[in-house]
Amino acid sequence: MEFEWAELRESCVIEEDAAVLALNKPAGISVTGERHDSDIVEAAAAVGETLYPVHRIDKVTSGLVLLAKELGAHGQLTRQFNKQTVEKAYLAIVESTGLPDRGVIELPLSVGRKNRVRIAAPRESIRERAGRWFVDDADLLATKNYPSTTQFTTVLRTDTYTVLAVRPITGRRHQIRVHLAWIGHPIVGDPLFDKSARYDRTYLHSWQLALAASWRTPPTLTLQATPTPDFWHPLHPTPDPAALLQHADTLLHTIESPLPQPNSPHPPKAAC
């Protein structure tokens, strides 16, 4: 997607100070590393503005992206992402029903053919018990795998779609998209799993971030990116976005404590 940096910057800025710039990124624009199209970092550099990505969200994902304007802040913030101490929340719309009110997906990821992210076990070995999806260690593929945990709470159900508020405890590439698809609830319009081209975008949105920022008073950075109206297009009738987001924010607090676990020879691993 081609875009003018000055126009995007002005229309999408959420928060800015001397050290950071936070944007509400449209779907279809890359943060950095785009081979065949413009990306945010490259577009800014072309007009003399240097930005350092603190984290990345996928090109097809809309919403909150945090960039540093100087290296000191970049180092402080990226360390928190690496240590998995950042509070992150996403919104997702899945074209399916039947998910529980709360759930946790503890499925390790691996990289398969053509650099595609997948679950590090056969699909048929995935088990679900009391809102927890997992695989036994004996079913893991003989390849390098990365422990990955995604928590979610159900915000809204319709006859066809479900809206989720999602916390990726680990921050693996494509984690939310792969986790939801492999348990049978792919994100609407996700090109990794839906080749029908029925939808104009992928309905995954980076919604909230909270992390420490020592140069600020108080020394925290709490950010939220409101989805643009197109995010709600699959839902009929269209919900009241403000009320739905308030409901989602309330529900997120219910997944901050671990789910009660059933008796199992394979208890959940700690997030790493």
Side-chain angles (χ1 to χ4, degrees), residues 70-120:
E70 53 96 7
L71 286 173
H74 181 260
Q76 181 181 147
L77 297 171
T78 54
R79 280 192 292 273
Q80 295 175 68
F81 278 90
N82 292 337
K83 293 179 179 179
Q84 300 173 9
T85 59
V86 179
E87 291 186 16
K88 298 172 284 187
Y90 286 70
L91 298 168
I93 302 177
V94 298
E95 190 176 10
S96 57
T97 59
L99 283 166
D101 291 343
R102 298 171 59 196
V104 58
I105 307 168
E106 294 183 317
L107 297 174
L109 300 176
S110 66
V111 179
R113 293 184 300 171
K114 298 183 179 180
N115 202 34
R116 292 177 179 169
V117 179
R118 57 160 293 155
I119 301 302

Side-chain angles (χ1 to χ4, degrees), residues 239-251:
D240 176 356
L244 192 65
L245 293 176
Q246 183 176 8
H247 180 52
D249 192 55
T250 299
L251 289 174

Side-chain angles (χ1 to χ4, degrees), residues 169-214:
I169 306 304
T170 48
R172 314 296 186 191
R173 180 166 65 99
H174 300 334
Q175 175 180 315
I176 297 173
R177 299 166 66 186
V178 173
H179 269 177
L180 288 172
W182 278 62
I183 68 168
H185 300 271
I187 294 170
V188 174
D190 186 346
L192 290 178
F193 303 100
D194 180 4
K195 307 302 182 183
S196 69
R198 290 183 297 151
Y199 301 97
D200 294 333
R201 57 160 295 174
T202 300
Y203 290 87
L204 179 63
H205 181 80
S206 172
W207 182 33
Q208 296 178 350
L209 284 177
L211 61 170
S214 64

Side-chain angles (χ1 to χ4, degrees), residues 151-170:
Q151 297 178 332
F152 69 84
T153 182
T154 297
V155 179
L156 177 70
R157 294 182 176 93
T158 73
D159 291 342
T160 308
Y161 301 100
T162 304
V163 180
L164 304 175
V166 184
R167 284 201 188 280
I169 306 304
T170 48

